[in-house]
Amino acid sequence: MDWNLAIERNREALKRIVATLVAMAGPAYPFTSALSGGRRTPDRRVGVIAAPQPPADLVGKVKPAFTLSRRLHRAILRLLRPAESAVRRLVIVMARGLVVTLPAPRPGKPTPAPTFLRRPGGTGILMPPGSMSATRPWPRMLALPLLDPLKHSHRRRPGQTGVPRISLPGVTVPFPVAPRYPPAPGDLLDATRLALRLQSLGAALDDLPRLASRFARWRMAGAGAAGTRPGERRTGRARRVWPLRPGRPPGQRPANRRTHDLHQVLNDLHGLAFDALEHPDTS
């Protein structure tokens, strides 16, 4: 089998899909990339997607307002999840037979002492720097997770259907309860994180060799820590030993409900990723 041909064919298909998602987001999409006709940054880093510069008085203070209608937000998200799963599997296929060298372990940072031990009157609650700031920092690029999120068996919390109306008869008057309307398709939703995920997806397709090296280091670190081969289970501290989750990939639909070409691309890459993980090329 020609692995290079399979990688390039699926990469081009995923690039077209990501460009379609960016076009669906509309002209208000706050990022540009090589996938959508943008330019690279002056430092020539492959896969970096430039964001428009905010006003000088807002740099590092607030996030840009990027909203989409609920209908469009859900439509993009339905394709974004399987696209992320497909790119993860493409990285696994590209890392087949890749040999890397693990860096030297970095020393751990010392834990700071609680505030009540340093000065009188402290609360003992240690807050990270900038956590009490009223403004939010300018969004930065997200890293594409190389491991599938695991399924969590938890019950969905019931929605709130009423509010308490505490009053004293003859003294206070119960306040009026505002009507609650069901979510409408035209409601505007904050799509900043959705845009950042699209940005990281486009950057991953622009720089697949770097992600393949990152995944190879993850597998080698897991095997070297326990003295086992990649994919074997080790005892002791719990750690992921398999990057794919059981069952269908995240975002994949059943065979009778697949209506987009992306689902077929994900199905093909899922099989190739399993083949690459179970039969690594060590020649």
Side-chain angles (χ1 to χ4, degrees):
M1 177 180 177
D2 193 344
W3 290 91
N4 293 329
L5 179 61
I7 291 173
E8 189 60 28
R9 183 178 66 249
N10 288 285
R11 177 175 177 268
E12 292 300 324
L14 289 173
K15 287 176 62 176
R16 291 192 297 269
I17 292 170
V18 173
T20 302
L21 295 178
V22 173
M24 290 174 62
Y29 179 73
F31 302 106
T32 58
S33 70
L35 299 180
S36 58
R39 298 183 299 170
R40 299 184 186 272
T41 52
D43 56 4
R44 306 299 298 171
R45 289 185 296 169
V46 179
V48 175
I49 302 180
Q53 295 298 326
D57 56 340
L58 296 180
V59 173
K61 294 183 179 181
V62 297
K63 298 201 305 182
F66 176 57
T67 59
L68 292 173
S69 65
R70 186 183 301 274
R71 183 192 303 274
L72 185 56
H73 188 281
R74 294 295 183 262
I76 296 176
L77 194 60
R78 278 194 296 269
L79 295 178
L80 180 60
R81 287 168 177 162
E84 290 175 338
S85 299
V87 174
R88 276 194 290 267
R89 282 146 181 79
L90 183 61
V91 171
I92 293 174
V93 173
M94 195 165 186
R96 180 177 181 269
L98 189 62
V99 179
V100 295
T101 303
L102 292 179
R106 293 179 295 181
K109 297 181 179 180
T111 304
T115 54
F116 71 89
L117 294 180
R118 293 203 301 261
R119 66 174 186 269
T123 61
I125 301 175
L126 197 63
M127 303 297 294
S131 59
M132 300 300 294
S133 176
T135 58
R136 305 175 71 179
W138 184 260
R140 296 180 299 177
M141 187 173 178
L142 298 178
L144 179 69
L146 298 184
L147 308 181
D148 283 346
L150 299 178
K151 295 181 179 180
H152 299 282
S153 57
H154 61 273
R155 296 182 178 180
R156 182 176 298 179
R157 297 179 59 182
Q160 186 178 359
T161 57
V163 295
R165 302 179 67 192
I166 302 176
S167 62
L168 185 60
V171 179
T172 59
V173 179
F175 63 89
V177 178
R180 297 196 176 196
Y181 301 100
D187 293 340
L188 294 180
L189 302 180
D190 183 11
T192 303
R193 182 169 179 81
L194 186 72
L196 290 173
R197 290 172 64 181
L198 281 173
Q199 179 194 19
S200 65
L201 197 61
L205 291 173
D206 284 342
D207 200 6
L208 284 176
R210 180 181 62 84
L211 292 183
S213 299
R214 176 180 150 201
F215 178 78
R217 289 194 299 269
W218 175 82
R219 293 201 78 192
M220 184 172 294
T228 60
R229 294 189 300 272
E232 290 186 353
R233 184 176 300 276
R234 66 188 181 97
T235 59
R237 182 174 58 89
R239 185 184 184 276
R240 289 282 296 272
V241 296
W242 192 256
L244 308 180
R245 80 179 187 185
R248 291 195 303 266
Q252 181 64 293
R253 293 187 173 186
N256 58 346
R257 296 178 54 193
R258 297 173 185 174
T259 57
H260 197 277
D261 295 339
L262 171 60
H263 299 289
Q264 183 60 41
V265 174
L266 176 56
N267 187 67
D268 296 341
L269 286 173
H270 188 64
L272 292 176
F274 258 100
D275 192 10
L277 289 173
E278 294 179 350
H279 306 285
D281 185 11
T282 57
S283 59

